[in-house]
């Protein structure tokens, strides 16, 4: 199912619901909803899933105004607990696609249906990576490093192209995208590692000795350079934004194999190291950062697909790290054991080379896991049980991004 929010006709279909919009009946009889106090109406709309808000925009002009009210948009993003939307980024077999699954439908025992977005700038950005998701906005970057970047709300189809930044002939880029709650500004960060084009490498491992940290603040018209990066980071976008601070994992060094948790504060634009516990799995080499219940979390990979999940209960307090979950090995039913038919671009992504990846924590307390970029599984830590999540329309290969579906745009939260 494809979602196209252009109003080309007066009759639209969303999921299984058909909504008829009649422009000649704006003076129709007032509904019982419109008889309610405005505070109650706004509160109701703030609690609705994003798919319902999109549908209500086409019922009538008054309902559209309520759905787009700044109070509704702010509360919908910040205050209402619900299972997230999942953006499924599929870059196989030919052209990149963005799909979504609204997990809040599971709460009412409804079938979750995966739908496709029609990206309005697809011809300018046929192949891309999702550099980040924040407050209903996606940051997309050209995966061929032609330097095109877009900020995009897939539910409203609003988008803006970001100006091009300095580009080097031989480079690798680490992305970050987030919102600074203190200044009410969105920022995109590019940490570029590069080398001279005439550098001769006699080793099989390519080394990028130089770096440049670049920041773009939405609302401005140019990038700013912060100079050299103090850390060599894993080539993967930040997966944990906590209170306006992006988090990354450093590369292991030859004689110091333990990886570091590196934070970049969007307020003062400084890198800092986040302390890890003195003992336990976080001192091992391989772990992934995530956001669980608003807290910084780290999933430590053990042997045979086992996981330890550590959570920092109080941010930047070393003693607050707790090993919260031990997740045993699991293989979703029907999932192939080999990578022989794995798409090249997904295979090359460092974050997807792992067998399992932690996505988020659901309202029920279950942990959502992605296996080999091919399957979604929920894990119930109370019952120690796994459940395969098979949604109608799910692509064969995908990368999962947690997304707060919203009608929000860049200036909504100011």
């Amino acid at each position: 199912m494809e979602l196209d929010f252009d109003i080309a006709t007066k009759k639209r279909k969303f999921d299984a619901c058909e909504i008829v919009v009649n422009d000649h009946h704006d003076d129709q009889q007032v509904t019982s909803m419109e008889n309610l106090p405005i505070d109650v109406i706004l509160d109701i709309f703030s609690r609705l899933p994003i798919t319902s808000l999109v549908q209500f925009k086409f019922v009538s002009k008054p309902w559209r105004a309520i759905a787009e009210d700044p109070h509704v948009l702010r509360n919908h993003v910040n205050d209402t607990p619900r299972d997230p939307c999942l953006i499924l980024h599929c870059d196989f077999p030919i052209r990149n696609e963005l799909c979504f699954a609204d997990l809040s439908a599971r709460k009412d025992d409804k079938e979750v249906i995966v739908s496709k977005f029609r990206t309005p700038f697809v011809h300018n950005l046929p192949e891309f990576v999702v550099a980040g998701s924040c407050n209903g906005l996606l940051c997309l970057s050209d995966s061929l490093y032609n330097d095109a970047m877009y900020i995009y709300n897939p539910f409203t189809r609003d988008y803006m192209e970001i100006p091009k930044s300095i580009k080097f002939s031989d480079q690798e880029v680490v992305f970050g995208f987030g919102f600074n709650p203190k200044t009410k500004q969105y920022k995109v960060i590019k940490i570029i590692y590069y080398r001279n084009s005439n550098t001769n490498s006699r080793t099989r491992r390519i080394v990028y000795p130089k770096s440049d940290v670049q920041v773009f603040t939405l609302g401005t018209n140019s990038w700013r350079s912060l100079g050299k990066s103090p850390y060599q980071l894993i080539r993967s976008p930040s997966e944990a934004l906590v209170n306006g601070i992006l988090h990354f994992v450093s590369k292991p060094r030859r004689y110091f194999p333990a990886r570091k948790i590196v934070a970049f504060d969007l307020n003062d634009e400084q890198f800092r190291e986040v302390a890890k516990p003195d003992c336990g799995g976080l001192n091992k080499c391989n772990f992934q950062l995530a956001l669980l219940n608003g807290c910084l979390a780290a999933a430590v990979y053990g042997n045979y697909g086992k996981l330890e999940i550590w959570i920092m209960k109080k941010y930047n307090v070393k003693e607050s790290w707790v090993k919260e979950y031990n997740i045993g090995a699991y293989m979703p039913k029907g999932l192939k054991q080999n990578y022989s038919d794995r798409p090249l671009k997904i295979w090359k992504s460092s974050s997807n080379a792992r067998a399992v990846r932690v996505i988020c924590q659901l309202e029920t307390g279950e942990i959502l896991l992605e296996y080999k970029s091919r399957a979604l599984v929920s894990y119930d830590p109370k019952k120690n049980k796994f459940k395969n999540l098979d949604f109608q329309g799910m692509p064969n290969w995908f990368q999962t991004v947690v997304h707060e579906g919203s009608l929000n745009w860049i200036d909504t939260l100011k």
Side-chain angles (χ1 to χ4, degrees):
M1 175 181 176
E2 288 193 358
L3 292 187
D4 183 357
F5 297 134
D6 290 334
I7 310 176
T9 64
K10 294 181 180 179
K11 197 173 186 180
R12 310 290 299 180
K13 286 187 178 181
F14 293 91
D15 299 329
C17 300
E18 187 177 86
I19 300 171
V20 179
V21 181
N22 192 331
D23 294 333
H24 301 290
H25 290 80
D26 289 339
D27 56 348
Q28 59 191 352
Q29 185 177 357
V30 177
T31 65
S32 56
M33 168 71 80
E34 291 165 332
N35 277 327
L36 294 174
I38 187 61
D39 290 346
V40 175
I41 295 176
L42 293 178
D43 184 62
I44 292 173
F45 271 63
S46 299
R47 298 173 185 273
L48 294 173
I50 182 60
T51 47
S52 297
L53 282 183
V54 172
Q55 292 176 30
F56 289 165
K57 285 179 60 178
F58 298 98
V59 172
S60 65
K61 289 181 180 179
W63 282 42
R64 182 185 184 94
I66 294 172
E68 296 178 343
D69 185 276
H71 175 84
V72 171
L73 299 183
R74 282 193 296 269
N75 287 354
H76 196 268
V77 169
N78 296 324
D79 297 336
T80 307
R82 62 170 66 83
D83 280 339
C85 284
L86 299 180
I87 297 292
L88 305 179
H89 174 215
C90 178
D91 62 355
F92 180 79
I94 300 175
R95 177 176 288 178
N96 281 211
E97 291 182 333
L98 289 177
C99 305
F100 91 97
D102 188 358
L103 296 190
S104 62
R106 298 171 69 238
K107 191 173 183 179
D108 301 322
D109 295 325
K110 296 180 181 178
E111 182 182 12
V112 176
I113 299 176
V114 177
S115 302
K116 295 180 182 178
F117 290 115
R118 294 183 61 183
T119 311
F121 44 85
V122 63
H123 297 295
N124 297 330
L125 202 71
E127 296 187 26
F128 56 83
V129 295
V130 179
S133 170
C134 180
N135 293 342
L137 305 181
L138 291 174
C139 181
L140 307 180
S141 176
D142 191 335
S143 60
L144 300 178
Y145 298 120
N146 289 331
D147 214 28
M149 294 190 74
Y150 287 82
I151 302 298
Y152 173 49
N153 186 326
F155 289 99
T156 65
R157 304 191 81 209
D158 291 324
Y159 68 91
M160 66 170 288
E161 184 175 5
I162 295 177
K164 290 178 170 45
S165 65
I166 298 174
K167 182 184 175 185
F168 302 91
S169 58
D170 190 357
Q171 66 178 31
E172 287 189 346
V173 184
V174 177
F175 295 102
F177 172 59
F179 181 70
N180 180 4
K182 296 180 180 178
T183 62
K184 310 296 183 184
Q185 292 177 317
Y186 290 92
K187 293 184 180 181
V188 181
I189 176 175
K190 291 173 65 173
I191 306 167
I192 304 175
Y193 298 96
Y194 66 98
R195 61 178 184 165
N196 296 331
S197 57
N198 59 354
T199 300
N200 294 320
S201 176
R202 297 184 180 180
T203 63
R204 300 175 67 180
R205 179 170 172 262
I206 298 177
V207 177
Y208 294 91
K210 300 180 180 181
S211 63
D212 187 35
V213 180
Q214 300 177 10
V215 176
F216 181 80
T217 302
L218 272 62
T220 64
N221 56 12
S222 62
W223 290 80
R224 293 176 289 109
S225 175
L226 303 182
K228 185 178 179 179
S229 169
Y231 298 94
Q232 282 281 339
L233 303 178
I234 295 296
R235 308 305 192 253
S236 177
S238 171
E239 295 184 88
L241 175 67
V242 182
N243 299 325
I245 303 174
L246 296 166
H247 295 82
F248 305 88
V249 178
S250 71
K251 277 189 170 184
R253 297 168 64 184
R254 184 173 182 179
Y255 299 108
F256 302 95
R259 304 180 187 226
K260 298 177 180 179
I261 300 176
V262 178
F264 181 82
D265 194 326
L266 293 175
N267 187 47
D268 62 15
E269 299 180 350
Q270 295 292 318
F271 286 96
R272 295 178 178 88
E273 189 175 337
V274 177
K276 300 185 299 181
D278 293 326
C279 59
L282 273 178
N283 286 314
K284 296 180 181 178
C285 289
N286 199 9
F287 62 86
Q288 168 224 338
L289 298 181
L291 188 67
L292 298 183
N293 277 342
C295 296
L296 179 65
V300 181
Y301 295 89
N303 296 327
Y304 310 107
K306 296 180 180 179
L307 283 177
E308 288 180 3
I309 299 182
W310 291 70
I311 297 180
M312 185 179 250
K313 297 287 188 177
K314 189 174 181 181
Y315 185 74
N316 212 25
V317 176
K318 180 179 178 179
E319 294 74 22
S320 70
W321 280 107
V322 176
K323 185 169 72 172
E324 195 79 2
Y325 305 107
N326 275 308
I327 302 178
Y330 179 75
M331 181 60 65
K333 185 178 180 181
L335 194 64
K336 292 184 179 180
Q337 300 284 339
N338 61 69
Y339 293 92
S340 59
D341 60 342
R342 192 180 186 92
L344 177 62
K345 280 180 289 184
I346 294 181
W347 170 254
K348 289 170 65 178
S349 173
S350 62
S351 64
N352 288 279
R354 310 181 184 108
V356 57
R357 189 164 68 95
V358 175
I359 304 301
C360 65
Q361 189 164 21
L362 304 177
E363 271 194 278
T364 58
E366 298 168 290
I367 307 296
L368 184 65
L369 306 169
E370 177 193 280
Y371 282 80
K372 295 185 178 180
S373 300
R374 297 202 63 178
L376 290 176
V377 172
S378 63
Y379 170 73
D380 188 336
K382 295 180 180 178
K383 300 179 180 178
N384 195 27
K385 289 186 177 180
F386 296 86
K387 180 181 179 182
N388 295 339
L389 302 180
D390 298 318
F391 303 143
Q392 180 182 335
M394 183 177 290
N396 292 328
W397 294 96
F398 55 86
Q399 298 172 357
T400 308
V401 179
V402 178
H403 186 70
E404 298 177 10
S406 172
L407 303 184
N408 172 45
W409 188 230
I410 294 168
D411 58 352
T412 304
L413 300 183
K414 291 184 178 180

